[in-house]
Amino acid sequence: GAQNVCWAEEGAYTGEVSASMIKGLDCHFVEVNHQERRKLFNETDQTANWKIKQILKYKMSPIVCLGDEEKTEWAQTEIFLKKQITALLADVAKEDIENVILAYEPLWAIGQTAAAPVSTVAKVHALYRQHLIETYGEKAGMGVRILYGGSVTAENAGALLQVLDVDGLFIGRAALSAKGLIDIACRAF
């Protein structure tokens, strides 16, 4: 896997790595749109969409990070999330959507001591699933994996995995060591 890709096929983009180069290394997954990339490198929904389409063109799976940036009332959060997922997946073909992996990572939960509340994760994942089904149809929409990331620990992994439409976890610092990852896996199942 890779943690980034250039949005362009080729050109004078010093420091960037093209999708064809990543594919040439036999990568299968490429992370896109992580909150840190948005914050530190001014990435946008538009540039992430271009990257997603490059990744899919080379038959790899984009792991598309998405999520709310601030804790707000649900009505505001819902509007933001719908707008974001629509922009990120703009012009992604139905035949490609099942290769997309979504990773819900609310900015306000990344690197914190607590994950998003299970009730919030449930609402957000249900919203994403419904959007996928409405946009791509039942079969394709149900075929997309939706992960949760943001302060996942051995203590909360099991509860998060019990949420409908949480198809896996996108684990950060808690899995930086083999012991951390093993602790999460052992306690989650």
Side-chain angles (χ1 to χ4, degrees):
Q3 291 185 321
N4 191 28
V5 68
C6 185
W7 61 90
E9 181 76 28
E10 58 184 41
Y13 299 103
T14 302
E16 291 292 324
V17 179
S18 70
S20 65
M21 292 170 76
I22 292 172
K23 181 68 174 183
L25 295 171
D26 202 29
C27 285
H28 300 282
F29 303 96
V30 184
E31 183 179 338
V32 177
N33 200 49
H34 193 278
Q35 292 281 16
E36 292 166 354
R37 300 271 325 157
R38 293 177 71 88
K39 180 180 175 184
L40 299 173
F41 299 99
N42 300 314
E43 293 192 359
T44 65
D45 294 343
Q46 179 65 65
T47 58
N49 175 261
W50 295 337
K51 290 178 179 190
I52 292 164
K53 290 186 278 192
Q54 279 293 310
I55 295 163
L56 291 168
K57 178 179 177 180
Y58 284 91
K59 307 297 183 205
M60 296 180 288
S61 291
I63 301 172
V64 182
C65 302
L66 66 172
D68 36 331
E69 297 168 355
E70 299 176 15
K71 282 187 182 181
T72 59
E73 297 293 322
W74 175 249
Q76 290 176 293
T77 298
E78 185 176 20
I79 291 167
F80 177 87
L81 296 175
K82 284 181 179 179
K83 180 180 175 215
Q84 184 183 49
I85 194 171
T86 300
L88 290 169
L89 299 180
D91 301 319
V92 171
K94 183 176 181 176
E95 59 269 11
D96 289 330
I97 195 62
E98 289 186 53
N99 292 322
V100 173
I101 300 167
L102 300 181
Y104 172 52
E105 286 195 309
L107 178 60
W108 48 268
I110 296 172
Q112 303 303 312
T113 57
V118 170
S119 60
T120 300
V121 174
K123 284 201 285 192
V124 171
H125 281 238
L127 179 141
Y128 289 153
R129 183 68 69 205
Q130 188 60 39
H131 175 85
L132 292 165
I133 290 169
E134 289 173 1
T135 306
Y136 296 100
E138 180 84 22
K139 183 179 183 294
M142 291 301 292
V144 176
R145 290 172 283 173
I146 307 174
L147 313 177
Y148 172 77
S151 300
V152 174
T153 64
E155 289 75 27
N156 64 24
L160 290 165
L161 287 171
Q162 295 302 311
V163 175
L164 184 65
D165 292 321
V166 172
D167 300 315
L169 301 172
F170 198 54
I171 305 167
R173 70 177 188 269
L176 288 177
S177 69
K179 182 186 179 325
L181 183 59
I182 290 167
D183 287 348
I184 290 170
C186 288
R187 292 184 62 186
F189 302 103

